[in-house]
């Protein structure tokens, strides 16, 4: 059951005069072993939570960087169960782990089994970007009954009353997609972003994380005071693709968060 | 079961199948599309306009044709073709594209995107964009651009931008994924004309509504020709638009057997095929829950078919439903048999079918041999074969 005081994710992501940073990486990218190493290093870099992607052959919401990372991970044999192992190993460092995957791998694995094993692996919450609130059940039911948070997304195209519904389906935090589009680092965030974040904050007491396109210190500065947290994905995955671990980027971005 | 129960999705689903598994960014566009489609469908002015374009632009009604020499060859069962190959641009795809272009105009969207496999839908989309002054971008896998190069040239001449898709198997699945990504990014200005009865609700229903003219015409033509209905209706199934288009009018005619023909490629057992209903299991691909070719871990599998238009790992959700309630039987035909049927039909009838309906023609032959003289089969000849010259040798 969700504790009254708020879940682990809720307290980890709530801004306290600062902006929290959530990093994203892909399980199995470029290999299982290396993604565990990278994950452990990211866990100790000052982030509030770590999103771990489970690769999918057809990632509708992802841009070229994350799509490529997923293809490499699949080519190197990553599976749903392998990704749960990565999550477990990385989560042992103490950072809250959020799994991000598409609905078909979850359906294929069996949502009930997936929920139970994710909980056993110490996972805190799950995001499924191609599962809108209308299609949420029965998958969310299984996730909730395993005490996992279910994070739904608000987009710039989500009308106001639908934002309310998305917030009420969410636990842990609400994910606010900052750009009309797919994942991938952008130079600039859209002008309407603070207004959108304000609309979301009005409708929920959960922390609100902004994601998609975020990659620079200026973005962090622009988000501070509007969002509780910023999710940095493609920019980190890009570093990992080049053989790095994204830690230096995280440290640099964190400077603009306080 | 009544026709209403069979053909109206409830909450976007046909039984358990269908739904809207897409990123949140698209949800309000799908809701708008659903409302606009239902409004347009009920608007006599829209229907009148659509009817006018069907007559003068597409060339409808298309004929019902008695394939007498093929009938004789297959042992005497009477075989008729519904001649969708005679539609402007050479396939049934234009029926859908014209309707959706009119809808895009109604919604005030000036940019059109489309995916294509065989290139027939891409050509149809490029054609309606030229006709109605819309901007057109078509996504196509590089493998398909190679084997359907004539259609690439046609699209470009029609003014469309053809975007090469190099991810995955470089075929229809990957082109569809790319088109959906474009739509997520440009949804405010862009209408996505999906080319088959697939995708998130309301697409499967809308494409079916626009393609059912095939069966509505054919049923009437058959009755006035014969005074009765055929024993069997056969159509090829890629995403399933020509098949659902011809089946819908016959769904309530319980004495008419309906058979959908998928691509068995090199044979179902080899794993190199594109038969989602025959060889797949339920899952989510491109926004709807239906039968999907996938591995044990829910990853979509590469497919193979000699026919680019059938080379797709998913299928429309209404077909999944019709399969499960056993109203339609689904079978699969190999590359080799389809090629032979292509040649046979060309030589015996002077009609060169596309490789897609050649699969249906082969299976019509199989059924004809079972029925013998006195039987009757209606085949949806969904398109013509000029586009397939490069895949078929002279033999
Ligand atoms: C002539 C023809 N028939 C059939 C198909 C398969 O599509 P569907 O199953 O939607 O009719 C195609 C697709 O490109 C085609 O070009």
């Amino acid at each position: 059951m969700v504790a009254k005081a708020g879940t682990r994710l809720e307290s980890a992501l709530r801004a306290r005069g600062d902006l929290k940073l959530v990093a994203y990486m892909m399980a199995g990218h470029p290999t299982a072993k290396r993604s565990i190493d990278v994950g452990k290093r990211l866990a100790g870099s000052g982030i509030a939570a770590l999103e771990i992607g489970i690769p999918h052959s057809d990632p509708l919401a992802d841009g070229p960087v994350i799509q490529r990372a997923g293809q490499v991970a699949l080519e190197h044999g990553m599976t749903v169960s392998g990704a749960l192992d990565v999550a477990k190993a990385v989560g042992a460092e103490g950072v809250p782990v959020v799994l991000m995957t598409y609905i078909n791998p979850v359906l294929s694995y069996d949502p009930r089994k997936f929920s139970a094993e994710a909980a056993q692996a110490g996972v805190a919450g799950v995001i499924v970007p191609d599962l809108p609130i209308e299609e949420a059940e029965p998958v969310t039911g299984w996730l909730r009954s395993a005490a996992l948070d279910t994070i739904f997304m608000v987009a710039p195209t989500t009308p106001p009353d639908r934002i309310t519904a998305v917030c009420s389906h969410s636990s842990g935090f609400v994910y606010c997609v900052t750009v009309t589009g797919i994942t991938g680092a952008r130079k600039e965030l859209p002008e309407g972003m603070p207004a959108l974040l304000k609309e979301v904050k009005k409708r929920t007491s959960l922390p609100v994380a902004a994601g998609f396109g975020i990659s620079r210190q200026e973005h962090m500065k622009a988000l501070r005071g509007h969002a509780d947290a910023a999710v940095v994905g493609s920019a980190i995955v890009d570093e990992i693709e080049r053989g790095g671990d994204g830690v230096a980027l995280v440290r640099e971005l964190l400077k603009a968060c306080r | 079961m009544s026709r209403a129960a069979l053909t109206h999705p409830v909450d976007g689903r046909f039984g358990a199948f269908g739904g809207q598994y897409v990123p949140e960014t698209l949800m309000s566009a799908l809701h708008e599309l659903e409302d606009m489609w239902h409004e347009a469908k009920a608007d006599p002015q829209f229907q009148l306009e659509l009817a006018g374009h069907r007559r003068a632009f597409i060339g409808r009604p298309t004929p019902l044709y008695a394939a007498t020499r093929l009938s004789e060859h297959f042992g005497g069962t009477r075989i008729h073709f519904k001649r969708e190959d005679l539609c402007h641009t050479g396939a049934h795809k234009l029926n859908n594209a014209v309707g959706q272009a009119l809808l895009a105009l109604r919604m005030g969207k000036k940019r059109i995107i489309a995916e294509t496999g065989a290139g027939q839908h891409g050509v149809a989309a490029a054609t309606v964009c030229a006709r109605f002054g819309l901007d057109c971008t078509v996504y196509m896998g590089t493998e398909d651009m190679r084997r359907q190069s004539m259609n690439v040239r046609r699209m470009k001449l029609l003014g469309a931008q053809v975007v090469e898709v190099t991810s995955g198997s470089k075929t229809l699945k990957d082109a569809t994924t790319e088109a959906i990504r474009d739509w997520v990014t440009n949804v405010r200005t862009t209408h996505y004309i999906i080319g088959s009865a697939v995708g998130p609700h309301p697409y499967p229903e809308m494409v079916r509504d626009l393609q059912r003219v095939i069966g509505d015409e054919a049923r009437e033509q058959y009755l006035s020709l014969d005074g009765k209905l055929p024993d069997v209706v056969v159509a090829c199934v890629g995403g399933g638009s020509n098949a659902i288009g011809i089946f819908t009018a016959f769904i309530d005619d319980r004495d008419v057997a309906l058979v959908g023909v998928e691509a068995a490629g090199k044979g179902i057992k080899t794993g190199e095929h594109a038969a989602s209903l025959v060889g797949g299991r339920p899952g989510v691909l491109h926004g709807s829950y239906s039968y999907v070719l996938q591995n044990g871990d829910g990853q979509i599998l590469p497919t193979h078919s000699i026919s680019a238009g059938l080379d797709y790992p998913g299928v429309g959700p209404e077909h999944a439903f019709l399969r499960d309630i056993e109203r339609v039987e689904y079978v699969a035909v190999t590359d080799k048999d389809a090629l032979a049927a292509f040649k046979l039909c060309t030589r015996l009838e002077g009609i060169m079918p596309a490789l897609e309906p050649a699969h249906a023609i082969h299976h019509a032959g199989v059924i004809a041999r079972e029925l013998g003289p006195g039987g009757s089969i209606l085949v949806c000849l969904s398109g013509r074969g000029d586009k397939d010259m490069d895949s078929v040798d002279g033999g």
Side-chain angles (χ1 to χ4, degrees):
Chain A
M1 279 278 94
V2 177
K4 277 269 165 353
T7 65
R8 209 169 142 219
L9 278 174
E10 248 183 276
S11 42
L13 264 67
R14 191 174 305 284
R16 292 182 175 80
D18 60 351
L19 178 73
K20 304 294 185 199
L21 199 155
V22 178
Y24 171 96
M25 56 170 277
M26 177 70 79
H29 178 232
T31 62
K33 184 174 172 304
R34 180 131 173 82
S35 69
I36 291 174
D37 291 346
V38 167
K40 285 182 173 171
R41 268 180 261 158
L42 282 170
S45 68
I47 58 173
L50 182 64
E51 269 184 37
I52 299 184
I54 303 177
H56 183 44
S57 52
D58 290 78
L60 289 187
D62 284 305
V65 172
I66 292 178
Q67 188 189 358
R68 222 161 38 229
Q71 274 184 9
V72 169
L74 288 174
E75 277 158 23
H76 290 170
M78 188 41 59
T79 58
V80 172
S81 128
L84 291 169
D85 292 342
V86 172
K88 186 172 184 180
V90 174
E93 303 288 305
V95 71
V97 168
V98 179
L99 290 175
M100 177 138 168
T101 183
Y102 288 84
I103 188 61
N104 200 50
V106 175
L107 291 179
S108 176
Y109 200 75
D110 175 5
R112 182 181 186 171
K113 181 167 164 236
F114 178 82
S115 304
E117 292 182 13
Q120 264 166 25
V123 166
V126 176
I127 307 176
V128 186
D130 60 348
L131 192 71
I133 51 174
E134 287 82 351
E135 309 292 359
E137 295 306 332
V139 174
T140 351
W142 291 118
L143 293 168
R144 291 255 169 90
S145 64
L148 293 163
D149 278 328
T150 55
I151 296 106
F152 286 88
M153 291 173 149
V154 170
T157 51
T158 308
D161 46 345
R162 193 175 160 84
I163 297 180
T164 309
V166 172
C167 290
S168 70
H169 275 77
S170 299
S171 61
F173 65 98
V174 176
Y175 196 124
C176 185
V177 177
T178 49
V179 298
T180 306
I182 52 181
T183 59
R186 311 286 206 278
K187 273 198 181 128
E188 281 165 36
L189 297 181
E191 274 176 20
M193 189 200 55
L196 176 65
L197 286 165
K198 198 170 155 195
E199 288 298 313
V200 181
K201 290 290 283 182
K202 249 180 20 201
R203 291 173 170 80
T204 183
S205 57
L206 292 171
V208 176
F212 284 34
I214 299 167
S215 55
R216 300 168 169 228
Q217 284 195 333
E218 305 94 88
H219 299 160
M220 300 293 147
K221 287 183 187 139
L223 285 168
R224 229 180 109 180
H226 297 290
D228 290 281
V231 185
V232 182
S234 295
I236 290 173
V237 174
D238 193 43
E239 296 277 318
I240 297 169
E241 187 175 21
R242 294 159 196 265
D245 56 16
V247 169
L249 175 66
V250 167
R251 295 232 162 95
E252 191 192 309
L253 294 175
L254 278 171
K255 283 183 205 156
C257 291
R258 284 186 278 262
Chain B
M1 211 180 296
S2 76
R3 174 168 302 175
L6 275 175
T7 59
H8 284 286
V10 178
D11 290 334
R13 285 185 186 260
F14 302 92
F17 301 102
Q20 298 178 309
Y21 297 90
V22 296
E24 172 63 22
T25 307
L26 293 181
M27 289 306 289
S28 54
L30 289 177
H31 291 148
E32 185 199 0
L33 190 62
E34 183 179 358
D35 291 346
M36 292 296 280
W37 174 242
H38 288 142
E39 196 187 290
K41 211 169 110 171
D43 177 0
Q45 193 56 40
F46 180 88
Q47 291 298 343
L48 204 67
E49 214 182 320
L50 182 59
H53 291 299
R54 278 177 174 164
R55 218 166 26 244
F57 192 59
I58 305 179
R60 305 206 69 90
T62 57
L64 185 73
Y65 168 84
T68 51
R69 297 191 65 210
L70 209 55
S71 301
E72 200 181 316
H73 179 89
F74 286 139
T77 282
R78 287 183 317 135
I79 297 175
H80 283 83
F81 290 160
K82 177 60 174 167
R83 297 288 306 275
E84 294 301 297
D85 60 317
L86 294 178
C87 288
H88 177 41
T89 72
H92 70 292
K93 298 284 179 186
L94 196 61
N95 299 327
N96 170 47
V98 164
Q100 286 202 48
L102 292 178
L103 192 64
L105 290 173
R106 203 179 163 101
M107 293 191 293
K109 295 198 168 168
K110 293 281 164 56
R111 180 173 179 265
I112 297 296
I113 55 171
E115 84 297 337
T116 198
Q120 287 304 116
H121 174 57
V123 167
T127 298
V128 295
C129 287
R131 169 67 185 79
F132 296 110
L134 300 164
D135 184 74
C136 186
T137 302
V138 179
Y139 289 88
M140 189 169 191
T142 47
E143 167 64 14
D144 290 338
M145 290 177 78
R146 184 189 60 74
R147 56 181 166 170
Q148 309 274 245
S149 61
M150 184 184 78
N151 276 341
V152 176
R153 299 205 322 264
R154 290 169 80 193
M155 286 184 267
K156 287 181 177 166
L157 282 170
L158 287 159
Q161 187 196 346
V162 182
V163 180
E164 295 186 13
V165 176
T166 56
S167 52
S169 54
K170 305 172 179 59
T171 57
L172 183 53
K173 168 190 80 113
D174 312 285
T176 308
T177 300
E178 269 327 299
I180 295 175
R181 287 205 187 94
D182 178 316
W183 203 35
V184 172
T185 307
N186 300 300
V187 59
R188 291 174 205 269
T189 58
T190 299
H191 175 61
Y192 176 22
I193 304 191
I194 224 167
S196 191
V198 299
H201 176 69
Y203 280 106
E205 178 194 354
M206 178 167 68
V207 175
R208 189 270 321 275
D209 290 346
L210 288 167
Q211 291 291 4
R212 67 168 294 165
V213 66
I214 304 172
D216 288 341
E217 284 177 10
R219 190 173 183 280
E220 217 179 281
Q221 288 166 323
Y222 210 96
L223 279 175
S224 60
L225 181 89
D226 228 29
K228 62 179 186 60
L229 295 172
D231 296 327
V232 189
V233 179
V234 187
C236 67
V237 178
S241 68
N242 86 90
I244 207 70
I246 199 162
F247 290 165
T248 298
F250 297 94
I251 292 272
D252 279 348
D253 302 317
R254 310 302 296 194
D255 295 338
V256 179
L258 305 175
V259 183
V261 184
E262 299 193 300
K266 295 181 181 169
I268 298 291
K269 288 199 186 96
T270 67
E272 291 188 58
H273 63 86
S276 333
L277 289 162
V278 172
R281 63 187 172 90
V284 169
L285 174 65
H286 296 145
S288 65
Y289 183 66
S290 184
Y291 279 76
V292 178
L293 295 172
Q294 54 183 318
N295 71 13
D297 218 33
Q299 308 297 345
I300 310 306
L301 288 170
T303 51
H304 166 80
S305 168
I306 190 171
S307 140
L310 304 185
D311 203 354
Y312 182 68
V315 65
E318 193 167 2
H319 287 291
F321 175 64
L322 293 170
R323 172 198 191 273
D324 280 14
I325 63 166
E326 297 181 2
R327 176 62 187 98
V328 181
E329 182 195 0
Y330 294 89
V331 299
V333 163
T334 62
D335 288 352
K336 197 164 147 268
D337 287 341
L339 261 174
F342 173 101
K343 290 176 183 172
L344 191 69
C345 181
T346 302
R347 289 288 179 85
L348 291 182
E349 297 294 343
I351 294 173
M352 198 180 287
L355 281 172
E356 290 81 8
H359 288 71
I361 294 169
H362 171 82
H363 193 69
V366 174
I367 301 172
R369 294 220 152 90
E370 286 164 14
L371 292 179
S376 56
I377 303 174
L378 170 64
V379 179
C380 187
L381 195 76
S382 55
R384 69 178 189 226
D386 318 37
K387 70 182 177 61
D388 295 314
M389 288 300 87
D390 291 345
S391 307
V392 182
D393 47 71

